[in-house]
């Protein structure tokens, strides 16, 4: 949709001069950061609770259901819930919606990790006088660290580029980066979008490499 005139780096600085992109990027980073923290904490606790205190697969199926539902169906359901509660829409509603979506992935990953843990280590910690909380923080959580890191990374990347749920729950005055890009693409793709996509791809690759290294260091400890 534009004329090719050779290689150039001029469009990279232009990305940071675009007010709509920078506003969407700021909102997206706020949402993704908040969702990463909330989904990781809640998903980890849910996985531990399901693994220790439930039998059968019904509760497990309900816990990971948001990850299996189509995005459109989940978005309509969450928007209907907000409308039923007469809740206002904005960044807070996007954070809550993305947390419900990403938490299912964190739960599934941590549950898979918990299946490989040695329960005798927790029993030894309790026999030596450690309480339930201290055992979880000192024994269980370090063993779960690779799964927790993987779940946090997945939650961040899912929230970073999620469009459908954000489009339904953001409200008319709030734009995340995917919504801003969609608004610009409707009128024709500019080289700014190409430069932005390249930078996002570079950041994603760095995040994956960093998570892999962190996971290896944690497993070696």
């Amino acid at each position: 949709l534009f004329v090719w005139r050779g290689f150039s780096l001029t469009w990279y600085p232009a990305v940071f001069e675009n007010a709509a992109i920078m506003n969407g990027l700021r909102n997206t980073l706020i949402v993704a950061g908040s969702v990463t923290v909330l989904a990781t904490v809640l998903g980890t606790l849910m996985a531990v609770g399901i693994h220790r205190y439930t039998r059968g697969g019904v509760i497990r199926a309900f816990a990971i259901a948001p990850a299996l539902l189509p995005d459109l169906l989940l978005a309509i359901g969450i928007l209907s819930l907000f409308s039923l509660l007469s809740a206002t829409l904005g960044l807070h509603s996007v954070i809550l919606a993305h947390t419900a979506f990403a938490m299912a992935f964190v739960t599934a990953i941590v549950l898979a990790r918990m299946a490989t843990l040695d329960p005798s280590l927790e029993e030894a910690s309790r026999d030596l006088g450690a309480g339930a909380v201290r055992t979880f923080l000192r024994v269980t959580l370090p063993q779960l660290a690779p799964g927790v890191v993987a779940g946090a990374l997945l939650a961040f990347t899912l929230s970073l580029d999620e469009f459908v749920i954000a489009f339904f729950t953001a409200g008319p005055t709030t734009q995340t980066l995917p919504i801003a890009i969609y608004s610009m693409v409707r009128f024709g793709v500019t080289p700014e979008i190409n430069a932005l996509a390249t930078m996002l791809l570079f950041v994603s690759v760095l995040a994956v490499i960093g998570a892999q290294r962190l996971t290896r260091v944690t497993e070696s400890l």
Side-chain angles (χ1 to χ4, degrees):
L1 300 177
F2 58 89
V3 179
W4 171 255
R5 296 178 179 175
F7 294 99
S8 175
L9 298 176
T10 57
W11 293 104
Y12 287 91
V15 171
F16 298 97
E17 297 174 359
N18 190 308
I21 291 179
M22 295 310 298
N23 181 63
L25 178 60
R26 182 178 64 255
N27 291 337
T28 294
L29 291 178
I30 293 174
V31 171
S34 303
V35 169
T36 300
V37 175
L38 292 174
T40 302
V41 173
L42 296 177
T44 300
L45 295 177
M46 181 179 291
V48 173
I50 290 174
H51 181 78
R52 291 181 175 177
Y53 306 112
T54 65
R55 296 292 183 269
V58 177
I59 297 180
R60 186 186 299 251
F62 274 106
I64 65 175
L68 305 177
L69 293 175
D71 287 355
L72 182 60
L73 179 61
L74 186 60
I76 294 174
I78 294 176
L79 179 60
S80 300
L81 177 62
F82 287 152
S83 299
L84 181 64
L85 298 176
S86 299
T88 58
L89 300 181
L91 283 182
H92 61 283
S93 59
V94 179
I95 291 173
L96 293 176
H98 279 192
T99 299
F101 171 66
M103 187 172 63
F105 290 90
V106 177
T107 301
I109 294 174
V110 177
L111 273 173
R113 180 68 181 178
M114 288 204 68
T116 66
L117 300 186
D118 185 2
S120 62
L121 296 177
E122 294 184 352
E123 295 175 2
S125 175
R126 299 298 296 271
D127 291 340
L128 293 174
V133 176
R134 189 172 185 180
T135 298
F136 175 77
L137 295 177
R138 295 293 185 89
V139 178
T140 307
L141 190 58
Q143 296 182 82
L144 292 177
V148 173
V149 171
L153 174 64
L154 185 58
F156 180 80
T157 54
L158 286 173
S159 179
L160 189 67
D161 63 359
E162 206 289 320
F163 170 75
V164 177
I165 298 176
F167 184 79
F168 275 78
T169 59
T173 60
T174 303
Q175 279 195 338
T176 61
L177 185 58
I179 297 176
I181 293 176
Y182 172 73
S183 301
M184 297 175 65
V185 167
R186 288 188 303 170
F187 302 101
V189 179
T190 65
E192 293 175 352
I193 300 300
N194 296 346
L196 178 62
T198 303
M199 289 188 288
L200 289 177
L201 178 61
F202 182 70
V203 170
S204 300
V205 171
L206 289 181
V208 171
I209 294 175
Q212 288 180 341
R213 291 184 177 274
L214 181 60
T215 301
R216 292 178 181 177
V217 170
T218 304
E219 290 180 340
S220 64
L221 296 176

